[in-house]
Amino acid sequence: QGQFVERGGGLVQAGGSLRLSCVHSRSITSTFRAHTMAWYRQAPGKQRELVASIGSGGNTNYGESVKGRFTISRDNGKKTVYLQMNSLKPEDTAVYFCNTVPQNEAYWGQGAQVTVSS
């Protein structure tokens, strides 16, 4: 099945922006298109949490802590999901992963480290 590959993490000051992307190159486009996709994150010492999701029809949902600041989008032709993160806060510091909803254990990648300095 293969893993997602996340890119775009980095170090940014509070108030800054980053754009993450993840691609699942091994999936068939029609299969990728059919899944609800999501971004998750895991901060040190905390459980992994769902940040944002986007359905096959483009409907989106966001965690309360990121509403109004993050935007999830997808390009089915490229089998890629994006997460635009604006107005970043130190509490957004975490490793960010993408996966399906519900999660598929085989899809977890290495994640992208996002560090927000105060």
Side-chain angles (χ1 to χ4, degrees), residues 38-86:
W39 282 94
Y40 303 81
R41 68 185 181 187
Q42 187 165 20
K46 295 187 178 181
Q47 289 191 335
R48 190 173 291 166
E49 64 172 346
L50 190 147
V51 175
S53 65
I54 183 165
S56 57
N59 53 303
T60 57
N61 286 287
Y62 297 92
E64 285 297 323
S65 63
V66 306
K67 277 183 180 178
R69 300 188 297 122
F70 290 11
T71 302
I72 188 171
S73 60
R74 66 191 295 165
D75 184 332
N76 291 326
K78 294 181 179 179
K79 294 173 284 187
T80 300
V81 184
Y82 302 96
L83 186 68
Q84 178 66 44
M85 304 184 294
N86 299 327

Side-chain angles (χ1 to χ4, degrees), residues 98-114:
C98 63
N99 206 316
T100 53
V101 179
Q103 302 164 15
N104 185 324
E105 290 301 316
Y107 288 161
W108 292 116
Q110 296 298 308
Q113 175 68 51
V114 172

